[in-house]
Amino acid sequence: MNPDSPDITDIITALQEQGAVLIRGYRSQLELKQELQSAIDAGKPAIVQPTTKSMRLFFNTSGFRMMMQEVLEGLTDCQLVIPPNCYGTRLLMAIAPRIE
C-alpha cells in the first residue's frame, strides 16, 4: 500500500456491514449517477471500485477523480465517505446517505 494512502479497510468494512452497494464495472456518468442516487435513496452507502479492466478506461487516477467529482455534483442527500483516489493499487470512492 502507498505510504501516503490512509488505511481505509475499517471504513470499507463498516460500509459493507451497512449493506453498501458495490459498483465494479464501467458505467457512463449518467448510469453511475442513477445507481449511486438509487442506493442513497434506499438509505444505503455505495462504493465505486472499478475492476482492473474498467480502471483502464479512466486512463489515470486524475481521470477517475474528475469523473467522480462530476458524478457527485449531480447527487442529492449524500456525503463523501472516501474521496475518489487510488488507494494502494485500486481506484475507489465511497458515499453514504447524509446524516442530518
Side-chain angles (χ1 to χ4, degrees), residues 74-89:
L75 300 177
T76 58
D77 299 323
C78 71
Q79 61 187 7
L80 189 60
V81 178
I82 300 173
N85 206 347
C86 186
Y87 298 91
T89 61

Side-chain angles (χ1 to χ4, degrees), residues 5-88:
S5 296
D7 182 9
I8 56 172
T9 307
D10 292 342
I11 297 169
I12 293 171
T13 300
L15 293 173
Q16 289 171 332
E17 288 171 355
Q18 296 170 34
V21 172
L22 179 62
I23 300 171
R24 299 277 297 158
Y26 180 78
R27 310 284 195 285
S28 71
Q29 282 189 12
L30 179 60
E31 291 170 320
L32 191 53
K33 277 181 192 176
Q34 290 171 340
E35 270 190 72
L36 291 171
Q37 191 64 58
S38 209
I40 293 302
D41 292 346
K44 295 182 177 187
I47 300 168
V48 178
Q49 184 181 15
T51 60
T52 303
K53 184 178 179 181
S54 62
M55 279 176 28
R56 290 187 287 237
L57 297 171
F58 297 111
F59 299 107
N60 56 35
T61 303
S62 176
F64 176 71
R65 277 193 214 118
M66 284 191 307
M67 182 176 173
M68 294 305 108
Q69 279 305 125
E70 290 174 14
V71 166
L72 287 169
E73 289 171 8
L75 300 177
T76 58
D77 299 323
C78 71
Q79 61 187 7
L80 189 60
V81 178
I82 300 173
N85 206 347
C86 186
Y87 298 91

Side-chain angles (χ1 to χ4, degrees), residues 89-100:
T89 61
R90 305 294 311 173
L91 295 175
L92 188 106
M93 177 188 79
I95 60 171
R98 185 183 319 271
I99 298 170
E100 298 293 330

